[in-house]
Amino acid sequence: MKFRFPWRTRAMLASEVDEEIAFHLAARAAELEREGLEAAEARRAAAAEFGDVAATRAYCLDQDRAAEREVRWTDRLADVRQDIGLAVRRLARQPMLLATAAGTLGLGMGAAIALWTVVRQVVIKPFPWRDSERLVTLWHEIPASQVRLTPQFMALEFWRSESKTLESLEPVLPSSATLSNDGGAEIVQVKSVAETFFDFTGLQPALGRRFVPADREEGAPRVAMIGRTWWQRRYSGDPEIVGRIVQLDNKPVEIVGVLPRELDFLPGAWRGGVTQFLLPLPIRPDPDRNAVTLGRLRPGVGVASARAELRTLDARLATAQKDLLEYQTRVDDAASNQIGARNVRTLYILLGSVGVLLLIACANVAHLLLGRMISRRSERAVRSALGASRANLAWSGLLEAGVIGVAGAALGLALSFPLVRLIAANRPQELGILEALHPDPTAGIIAVVLGLVVTLLAGLLPAWRGSRAAPAELLHGGWAAGRPEGRRLREALLVTEVGLSLVLLVGAGLVTRSLWRLGQLDLGFNPGEIISAQLQLPDWRFQSPVAREAFLVQATDAVRSMAGVEAVTRASGVPPNVGVAFGELEIEGRVLGENDRESFFAYQTVEPDYFTVMRIPLIAGGTFDGRAGTDGGYVISRALADRYWPGGGAIGHRIRIGKEGRWNEILGVAGNVPGLGVGELRGALHIYRRASGGGDEADLVVRTTMSPPAFESALRQVIAGIDREVPVRGANTLMTRFRASTATQRFTGALLGGFAAFATALFAAGLFGVLNHAVSQRTREIGVRIAIGADPRRVRWLVVRQGLGAVVIGVALGLTAAWMSARILSSILFDISPRDLVTFVVAAGVTILVALAASYLPARRASRLDPTSALRSE
């Protein structure tokens, strides 16, 4: 340490100022005496000339104290710079230690920053709008079936006039349109909003202008705004896009602006895709039309208060609209609407998992620092003998931990960028909003703070432990070898790592087994050679059901004649994404009990040959007997038949959905097909009705040997030859669609599996370090054992047993923690208990096998020690 003068105390500063003032007064008084004044009068005159002595003293004291503080801070900063430089040089002499510790922390922090970015942008603040913490969505819910519907405009206007908890309400009306161009037609996502929507969000267009009230008037020129990401993707970011005329639904529309990036993902239909076109909402929308309703709470009002108020208004709302009698108003935070409550829980589970991973990384770094502290016991002994205090020794250890933390934070921040892009690239369709992910601007601050906090916590205990022992004991190596604290501390850290890694391993195992169960489900048909593609039938092109049906018949016949097509039919939706019918089921001539009532069903309109093309077996009865329309009868799934006619006999009975529905005869019972996603039990209650051409879209279901890209290309040519204004969307195999329906579970399983694998590798490395160090410390003992004839196998077992003791304790604690926290995973598991015994046993077995593998090299090294060399080394 460089030489410096001691810092001056406040008393010393006061004394120096007093001496200096006294010196100046005495000097002036002496000068006045030489000029002929008496001594007493000279002192009074000098004091009078000097002025206010007290004020001068206070001023001088303030100046000296400020100067002293500056000196002290300068000295302190110089000391810190010197200590940091020394810590860097010490770590540079052990590059493997620095690389291992910083790499471990960097991987953990990179994953943590990436998951934090996902949760913050998707869950915590999905809408980066004005006062986004007060944003809510409003729904109508049927409590019996938990079906949620977007509210009608009539309800929205009622809430606007009556609610005291909502500051404002804005509807978003989702729809689709046909965009015509020289290459044919394509379906685009369209959402309609009022001009006040931009005040609601606090955002302005990235280019051009926003909507004005005149744009909403009936007969006004049609205008639109275009989504920023889609503008860049579809129009290459052309700055001349403003003023361009496009054809939407065969009508010219002028593009007047480009939306800001913050409006790329708006709530509503097709939530997996970016906003393409935004249209002005009609000034007098149909009051029975439904729209996504966004609200902003008044300052100081919580979601619970708004929910309670709106439910008190339900009775008055139902008086105005009797159809709403069975609904309850629900108010949710904006994130639940954007990605769904289940996905919110999934992301929080992943964030918690990466937090556990970071704790394991922290424990692993503590391992490394503790081993380094033990290996430097002689250096610490010398420093302690030369007068270094425990605080000095602990400070040097913490600085080394801080250097590792900064290196780990820098690496973690660098890794978070590709990890964010990797997550976005492999997002499931349900989490399409992840496409807009970008590294959080606060990630750098989070990385530095997190790195320092985590590493300083990891280094605090080793640094403090290393400063405790007496110099004589350290010089003789007693603290590290003779006393048990060093070993016990490392084993305690190992127990922590094993327990936490086992929690992650159990979680990954449960999700993996759940996915396996989903994969083993009987789909009820063979989807391998079936491709479906959706045809959008624009209302302006086909203005009657007869015209739609005529086109569909012509298109079906044309596809049937394509090379490689074995059979073709059509339906409204295909598994696993068919439509939904909701309303209480009634059976003619039968009164259902409270527990027998169902009000949520998978629903399709299909052609009579649909079951033949799909190869769905008809268990009883037949199909539609040539009858069509709403009076054509129903085919129901076996699950629905067994629900109400467990002994058979469903054929011939008449049922209806909802009190306003039509009575229809049950014509047949078909095999079960997962219509609403794999693992969705309610989707097994399936109702089929004959297609009548009444819808604006239809799915062609084709059994073919062609690949999806080849089929889609050929299909587009065929449909364009019939009518160029009919767009084709998303030709794909049904197997691909089924895999997509489990994409979120597979996404979660992949991340949990990666976390668990990394955690297991960390604890294995920690165990290897503990045993390797133990062998080094017990070299003399092991040499003596071998010298007197100990069996190498017993020596190996001696080392392995030492490691397994800590591992077994860690396994016990980890199983307990996993058992207590397993219910958190219930929402993402299918057909498996969160406390599945097989998963827990396998996870524990894998942990012990990994521990045995990690113990092998240290044990093998111990059994091959040369006794002579071992004894000579002591």
Side-chain angles (χ1 to χ4, degrees):
M1 181 178 292
K2 66 182 181 181
F3 170 80
R4 70 174 177 218
F5 289 104
W7 290 334
R8 295 177 294 172
T9 64
R10 297 175 72 89
M12 293 171 63
L13 290 174
S15 176
E16 290 178 4
V17 170
D18 290 341
E19 290 177 4
E20 186 174 358
I21 291 175
F23 169 79
H24 286 294
L25 287 173
R28 180 55 179 161
E31 185 178 348
L32 291 173
E33 285 183 31
R34 287 194 296 272
E35 292 177 0
L37 293 179
E38 294 291 336
E41 189 175 352
R43 286 194 296 272
R44 285 194 298 271
E49 289 181 10
F50 193 87
D52 189 343
V53 175
T56 303
R57 182 179 185 277
Y59 175 79
C60 291
L61 272 176
D62 288 342
Q63 294 298 311
D64 283 0
R65 287 169 183 169
E68 185 64 22
R69 282 195 299 270
E70 185 177 353
V71 167
R72 291 187 182 190
W73 274 110
T74 302
D75 288 345
R76 287 192 182 106
L77 291 175
D79 290 345
V80 170
R81 284 196 298 268
Q82 185 182 43
D83 291 342
I84 291 174
L86 184 60
V88 170
R89 289 193 295 273
R90 284 173 179 161
L91 289 171
R93 290 196 291 267
Q94 289 185 295
M96 284 302 296
L97 172 75
L98 179 60
T100 303
T104 299
L105 274 180
L107 287 172
M109 283 191 286
I113 294 168
L115 260 297
W116 164 254
T117 300
V118 171
V119 171
R120 186 173 186 273
Q121 294 182 26
V122 175
V123 179
I124 299 175
K125 198 172 183 179
F127 302 114
W129 304 346
R130 177 177 66 86
D131 298 327
S132 60
E133 68 280 357
R134 293 193 278 131
L135 286 179
V136 293
T137 53
L138 282 73
W139 301 89
H140 278 146
E141 181 179 70
I142 303 177
S145 60
Q146 296 183 340
V147 171
R148 295 197 304 175
L149 297 178
T150 52
Q152 297 173 340
F153 279 98
M154 179 275 300
L156 184 146
E157 293 301 328
F158 175 79
W159 290 328
R160 274 179 175 163
S161 63
E162 300 295 329
S163 175
K164 307 300 181 186
T165 60
L166 295 170
E167 181 180 83
S168 56
L169 287 169
E170 286 293 331
V172 178
L173 181 63
S175 60
S176 62
T178 303
L179 176 65
S180 304
N181 49 55
D182 294 339
E186 62 180 305
I187 304 171
V188 292
Q189 180 180 185
V190 172
K191 291 177 181 176
S192 301
V193 299
E195 78 283 353
T196 54
F197 184 75
F198 295 92
D199 296 324
F200 180 82
T201 62
L203 299 170
Q204 296 299 325
L207 197 65
R209 70 169 177 87
R210 56 188 256 181
F211 297 145
V212 296
D215 294 330
R216 301 177 59 197
E217 294 289 346
E218 186 174 351
R222 287 169 55 89
V223 297
M225 298 180 72
I226 190 171
R228 182 184 178 93
T229 296
W230 199 70
W231 164 58
Q232 292 172 335
R233 184 184 304 163
R234 179 69 169 76
Y235 297 99
S236 303
D238 182 5
E240 304 298 325
I241 192 70
V242 175
R244 181 177 297 185
I245 305 297
V246 297
Q247 293 290 322
L248 282 181
D249 284 344
N250 202 38
K251 295 178 181 178
V253 177
E254 180 186 358
I255 297 176
V256 296
V258 176
L259 295 172
R261 193 178 301 279
E262 291 83 357
L263 295 180
D264 263 346
F265 286 88
L266 289 174
W270 292 16
R271 65 186 180 193
V274 297
T275 303
Q276 293 173 323
F277 283 96
L278 198 68
L279 299 180
L281 188 71
I283 199 164
R284 285 176 290 275
D286 182 353
D288 294 329
R289 189 83 182 268
N290 297 72
V292 175
T293 303
L294 293 172
R296 176 172 283 111
L297 300 174
R298 294 188 185 277
V301 175
V303 173
S305 300
R307 188 176 296 155
E309 182 205 37
L310 291 178
R311 285 188 176 175
T312 62
L313 297 176
D314 281 346
R316 293 171 57 190
L317 184 60
T319 302
Q321 185 76 16
K322 295 188 182 300
D323 291 346
L324 300 178
L325 277 171
E326 59 181 321
Y327 296 121
Q328 284 185 356
T329 301
R330 183 177 180 87
V331 182
D332 288 323
D333 61 274
S336 298
N337 170 69
Q338 189 72 337
I339 64 171
R342 181 178 178 180
N343 289 326
V344 168
R345 290 193 296 270
T346 298
L347 289 177
Y348 274 124
I349 288 171
L350 290 173
L351 186 62
S353 300
V354 83
V356 172
L357 182 66
L358 196 56
L359 286 176
I360 296 172
C362 177
N364 198 268
V365 171
H367 257 306
L368 294 171
L369 293 176
L370 185 60
R372 173 174 168 77
M373 179 268 297
I374 293 173
S375 67
R376 293 171 55 205
R377 58 187 180 275
S378 298
E379 175 196 333
R380 291 176 179 272
V382 172
R383 293 180 63 189
S384 180
L386 292 175
S389 65
R390 288 183 60 187
N392 293 138
L393 295 175
W395 172 246
S396 66
L398 282 177
L399 275 181
E400 291 183 9
V403 171
I404 291 174
V406 170
L411 179 60
L413 183 60
L415 288 175
S416 68
F417 288 85
L419 283 175
V420 165
R421 287 194 292 269
L422 184 65
I423 291 173
N426 293 277
R427 66 192 183 280
Q429 186 176 2
E430 289 184 352
L431 297 177
I433 191 174
L434 296 183
E435 181 182 355
L437 274 183
H438 57 275
D440 200 311
T442 61
I445 299 173
I446 293 172
V448 173
V449 173
L450 191 64
L452 289 176
V453 170
V454 167
T455 323
L456 290 177
L457 287 176
L460 182 62
L461 191 57
W464 188 246
R465 279 289 198 181
S467 66
R468 288 180 58 184
E473 189 177 2
L474 282 169
L475 288 169
H476 287 90
W479 185 82
R483 294 178 61 185
E485 286 89 350
R487 187 185 74 249
R488 288 178 181 173
L489 181 55
R490 300 194 78 183
E491 289 178 350
L493 290 170
L494 178 62
V495 167
T496 302
E497 289 187 56
V498 172
L500 293 175
S501 66
L502 186 58
V503 171
L504 291 180
L505 203 57
V506 168
L510 288 171
V511 175
T512 301
R513 279 177 56 77
S514 175
L515 285 170
W516 183 81
R517 291 285 181 88
L518 284 172
Q520 297 302 306
L521 279 179
D522 181 14
L523 300 181
F525 69 103
N526 179 11
E529 296 180 347
I530 297 179
I531 294 178
S532 70
Q534 190 176 83
L535 304 179
Q536 187 84 13
L537 307 181
D539 290 337
W540 58 267
R541 193 73 171 174
F542 304 95
Q543 299 180 2
S544 69
V546 174
R548 293 190 186 95
E549 181 66 16
F551 171 81
L552 289 173
V553 169
Q554 186 179 3
T556 303
D557 290 341
V559 172
R560 188 177 288 115
S561 63
M562 289 169 53
V565 172
E566 298 177 5
V568 60
T569 186
R570 68 178 190 270
S572 61
V574 291
N577 304 113
V578 304
V580 174
F582 49 89
E584 196 167 291
L585 175 72
E586 295 185 12
I587 302 175
E588 190 176 41
R590 180 173 167 184
V591 178
L592 298 178
E594 188 69 30
N595 295 330
D596 291 331
R597 294 175 183 173
E598 293 286 352
S599 56
F600 187 91
F601 308 92
Y603 182 82
Q604 278 179 283
T605 60
V606 300
E607 285 294 293
D609 61 348
Y610 174 82
F611 303 97
T612 303
V613 175
M614 291 282 287
R615 297 179 185 172
I616 299 174
L618 282 172
I619 298 167
T623 56
F624 303 103
D625 300 330
R627 292 179 285 184
T630 56
D631 298 320
Y634 287 148
V635 174
I636 64 174
S637 66
R638 181 173 184 172
L640 183 56
D642 291 344
R643 177 79 169 81
Y644 294 100
W645 296 275
I651 306 300
H653 285 274
R654 282 162 50 94
I655 63 175
R656 69 178 180 180
I657 308 299
K659 296 186 181 300
E660 304 300 324
R662 292 175 177 268
W663 290 101
N664 276 277
E665 181 183 348
I666 297 175
L667 304 176
V669 176
N672 294 330
V673 172
L676 300 176
V678 180
E680 173 54 64
L681 299 180
R682 294 187 297 177
L685 304 179
H686 206 140
I687 296 175
Y688 302 89
R689 198 193 74 194
R690 181 165 183 177
S692 60
D696 60 357
E697 59 185 35
D699 284 274
L700 294 177
V701 182
V702 183
R703 187 169 290 278
T704 177
T705 56
M706 302 171 68
S707 67
F711 173 77
E712 182 171 3
S713 176
L715 177 64
R716 289 185 184 278
Q717 293 180 10
V718 168
I719 298 301
I722 302 173
D723 193 324
R724 291 180 57 84
E725 298 298 330
V726 175
V728 177
R729 184 169 68 185
N732 224 326
T733 65
L734 293 195
M735 183 58 76
T736 300
R737 297 184 189 277
F738 274 103
R739 282 198 296 269
S741 71
T742 61
T744 301
Q745 291 95 320
R746 287 186 284 109
F747 176 76
T748 305
L751 287 179
L752 280 178
F755 297 160
F758 183 43
T760 303
L762 287 180
F763 105 71
L767 176 60
F768 175 84
V770 167
L771 295 182
N772 207 42
H773 179 75
V775 170
S776 299
Q777 295 299 310
R778 300 174 66 181
T779 299
R780 179 183 177 87
E781 174 196 340
I782 294 172
V784 171
R785 287 176 180 269
I786 295 176
I788 62 177
D791 187 353
R793 286 177 298 181
R794 293 180 64 85
V795 173
R796 286 196 292 270
W797 172 242
L798 178 72
V799 176
V800 170
R801 185 177 60 188
Q802 180 177 340
L804 282 183
V807 170
V808 169
I809 296 173
V811 167
L813 294 176
L815 288 175
T816 303
W819 186 269
M820 294 175 63
S821 61
R823 290 193 177 277
I824 297 173
L825 296 174
S826 298
S827 62
I828 60 174
L829 298 180
F830 170 76
D831 196 28
I832 186 172
S833 167
R835 292 174 174 173
D836 178 61
L837 187 60
V838 173
T839 303
F840 277 72
V841 170
V842 170
V846 168
T847 301
I848 292 174
L849 286 175
V850 170
L852 289 172
S855 305
Y856 174 73
L857 286 178
R860 182 170 175 269
R861 174 191 164 200
S863 67
R864 293 190 175 188
L865 279 176
D866 179 15
T868 305
S869 301
L871 294 173
R872 186 181 297 119
S873 67
E874 294 291 329

